Amino acid sequence: MRLRLTALLLACAGIAGCAREPEIFNVRNARAHVDMLAGTIGSRPTGSEAHARARAYVIDQLRIFGYQVRVQEADARRPELGRTARVANIIGVLPGTRQEAIGLLSHYDSRGDTPGAGDNAFGVAVSLEAARLLAATPERQWTTYVLVTDAEEEGLLGAA
């Protein structure tokens, strides 16, 4: 328990440093996101308590960076795979002055038998750090969309 608390505090400290260098991608920030998702939270199968904690974490981070965040809940179906699931996709939007947009995409669930660091805490970490960097850009022109889908491990159900 003490080790997990220490990891949580270190992750928070790393994330709190996000505002220090807005002009560069900070690998330490991204690593703190991976550590939180795959280490502290751990395996995140769709519908689990850990899955809900990961969703809350991603939402909180995007809001800290200034994104307008909503959760798109839907009953997703992939009849060709014989699969259905209740999904909760995270959509963060940061308006720009032009109609063109930049999109960042990843997924926050993992398989139940792995902490999901490479699939896909790493992708979420890159999306979050890029989202932070784009939000810190002065005179931002392009709207930024951050889409973090759900149930990718269930047959791309969140994307469906």
Side-chain angles (χ1 to χ4, degrees):
M1 181 64 165
R2 183 178 202 110
L3 181 60
R4 282 200 142 175
L5 181 57
T6 302
L8 175 62
L9 292 173
L10 288 174
C12 290
I15 292 163
C18 290
R20 292 189 187 134
E21 298 182 75
E23 68 281 348
I24 61 169
F25 186 95
N26 189 312
V27 174
R28 285 182 291 166
N29 290 342
R31 178 59 192 226
H33 295 307
V34 172
D35 289 347
M36 177 60 77
L37 292 166
T40 302
I41 295 173
S43 181
R44 306 168 304 283
T46 300
S48 68
E49 188 235 322
H51 180 252
R53 288 177 51 212
R55 180 173 52 251
Y57 175 78
V58 172
I59 290 169
D60 287 346
Q61 293 305 302
L62 289 172
R63 286 186 175 147
I64 288 168
F65 303 151
Y67 285 76
Q68 301 163 5
V69 181
R70 70 183 177 93
V71 177
Q72 174 194 53
E73 293 188 55
D75 292 319
R77 294 174 182 83
R78 293 287 308 269
E80 70 278 15
L81 300 176
R83 294 189 176 181
T84 62
R86 183 78 177 159
V87 299
N89 293 324
I90 303 163
I91 302 169
V93 180
L94 191 64
T97 59
R98 298 175 60 164
Q99 289 183 338
E100 298 89 358
I102 296 171
L104 304 170
L105 176 65
S106 55
H107 71 89
Y108 68 98
D109 63 307
S110 71
R111 291 182 14 193
D113 60 347
T114 176
D119 187 13
N120 192 30
F122 177 77
V124 174
V126 170
S127 291
L128 288 174
E129 179 58 10
R132 181 203 60 86
L133 182 63
L134 290 166
T137 303
E139 301 179 26
R140 183 179 45 264
Q141 293 184 31
W142 292 272
T143 295
T144 303
Y145 288 93
V146 181
L147 175 58
V148 186
T149 63
D150 190 6
E152 189 272 347
E153 301 297 342
E154 302 300 322
L156 301 172
L157 285 170

